[in-house]
Amino acid sequence: MSNKLLDIKELSVHYITDDGTVMAVNDLSLSLDKGETLGLVGETGAGKTTTALSIMGLVPDPPGKIIGGEIEFDGEQLIEKSESELRKVRGNKISMIFQDPMTSLNPIMPVRDQIAEVILLHNQLTARNAIAKAEEMLLKVGIRADRAKEFPHQFSGGMRQRVVIAIALACNPALLIADEPTTALDVTIQAQVLELMKELKAEFGTALIMITHDLGIVAEICDKVAIMYAGSIVEQAEKNVLFTEPKHPYTIGLFNSIPDIDVDESILKPIKGLMPDPTDLPPGCPFHPRCDSAMPDCSRVIPGSIAISEDHYVKCLLFDEGK
């Protein structure tokens, strides 16, 4: 049997507005094996969250629309499913942890009841058994049973994020998508939440897509990394390969802009310019206006995905022998 869990091919998602068409995701392809952790890295506005919402079938329509491509999950095409069919998948086979736990939780329901609601939706259990399982999940994420009847506003940010993780894992999904789950938390709580996610991922055998702009988080918990720029994956590889042998000029620029404690440098090397406006992407490679290695063809030709080695792909004309 195939070990592949998620296979996205040439996905394109646009937001069609009165001010123009926002090309949020463009010909994006990536895959994930069962039990694997993928880090999806990119600047704000790169299209990371839209990619996650596409997998969940939650792209707001209007104005969002999946223009083309395929999303195959465990052998099934998600794009072809109806809304009622997707509801059976969400929270059951695929779960998502959103950035801000306060807006993800219902403010007028005890946290225990919110977990039980998901369990009842996807499992044939009595209300009493669902409550018992909800309390068990709270214990797993480090929240005492005597706090199960409390409301979201009675918890700190880190504790609320633990509740959201408990909801996401309540039905033992095959895939968990975490959209910058530690952004709103301080550094100490970030470390605790990441360690908790690692432990629960191992316990439940769940595959994980970690959406982040923090390469330190990627180094901590990911197996594979996909670097996203202007709606497209520009480089993807195993974590150790990408960290030691980055190929795409954008990936190299990301690493050059991070301080190195082993090197005495007074000035970092930032990437010049800004990410392009997604309503007006430049012709050719979207990174060429900021790229120090740009060639004349870069402003005319959109690069395809080129295999550098096994499981290491890059979208850059520097590696296209035909160019």
Side-chain angles (χ1 to χ4, degrees), residues 11 23-30 40-42 45-48 51 226-236 248 250 275 281 285-286 302-305 314-315:
L11 177 69
M23 293 173 280
V25 176
N26 305 295
D27 292 325
L28 180 143
S29 298
L30 61 83
L40 190 56
V41 182
K48 306 184 298 296
T51 301
I227 304 293
M228 197 164 183
Y229 183 82
S232 183
I233 301 291
V234 296
E235 185 167 8
Q236 55 183 315
H248 196 282
Y250 177 62
M275 184 180 286
L281 292 177
C285 172
I302 298 175
S305 187
V314 63
K315 281 188 174 181

Side-chain angles (χ1 to χ4, degrees), residues 219-268:
E220 180 74 21
I221 68 171
C222 295
D223 303 313
K224 292 190 337 190
V225 190
I227 304 293
M228 197 164 183
Y229 183 82
S232 183
I233 301 291
V234 296
E235 185 167 8
Q236 55 183 315
E238 297 291 327
K239 174 182 68 179
N240 292 338
V241 172
L242 190 120
F243 271 66
T244 57
E245 301 175 40
K247 299 296 184 185
H248 196 282
Y250 177 62
T251 312
I252 294 169
L254 287 180
F255 282 109
N256 285 342
S257 63
I258 299 172
D260 187 342
I261 60 172
D262 297 323
V263 179
D264 185 15
E265 286 183 315
S266 57
I267 300 175
L268 296 175

Side-chain angles (χ1 to χ4, degrees), residues 282-286 288 295-303 317 323:
C285 172
H288 87 263
M295 304 178 292
D297 274 348
C298 295
S299 62
R300 298 190 294 267
V301 180
I302 298 175
L317 295 182
K323 298 295 178 185

Side-chain angles (χ1 to χ4, degrees), residues 21-43:
T21 299
V22 178
M23 293 173 280
V25 176
N26 305 295
D27 292 325
L28 180 143
S29 298
L30 61 83
S31 63
L32 184 68
D33 289 343
K34 293 173 182 175
E36 196 171 47
T37 301
L38 170 73
L40 190 56
V41 182
E43 296 175 63

Side-chain angles (χ1 to χ4, degrees), residues 76-130:
E76 299 180 9
Q77 282 293 340
L78 295 183
I79 290 178
E80 297 172 359
K81 289 186 178 294
S82 65
E83 180 61 27
S84 60
E85 289 173 324
L86 283 170
R87 283 199 195 101
K88 296 176 183 176
V89 175
R90 289 188 213 117
N92 186 23
K93 296 178 180 178
I94 307 175
S95 287
M96 187 164 174
I97 301 170
F98 294 92
Q99 279 190 40
D100 184 1
M102 197 60 196
T103 57
S104 306
L105 295 169
N106 188 329
I108 60 170
M109 279 180 71
V111 294
R112 180 189 69 177
D113 294 0
Q114 298 190 50
I115 302 171
E117 186 177 44
V118 178
I119 296 167
L120 283 169
L121 187 63
H122 297 293
N123 295 277
Q124 293 181 334
L125 293 175
T126 64
R128 178 175 291 185
N129 288 339

Side-chain angles (χ1 to χ4, degrees), residues 8 12 18 27 32 49 101 150 154 156 158 164 194 211-212 221 231 248 262 296 316 320 323:
I8 302 176
S12 292
D18 293 338
D27 292 325
L32 184 68
T49 298
E150 293 184 9
Q154 294 174 281
S156 66
V164 173
L194 288 173
I211 296 173
T212 183
I221 68 171
H248 196 282
D262 297 323
C316 181
D320 187 340
K323 298 295 178 185

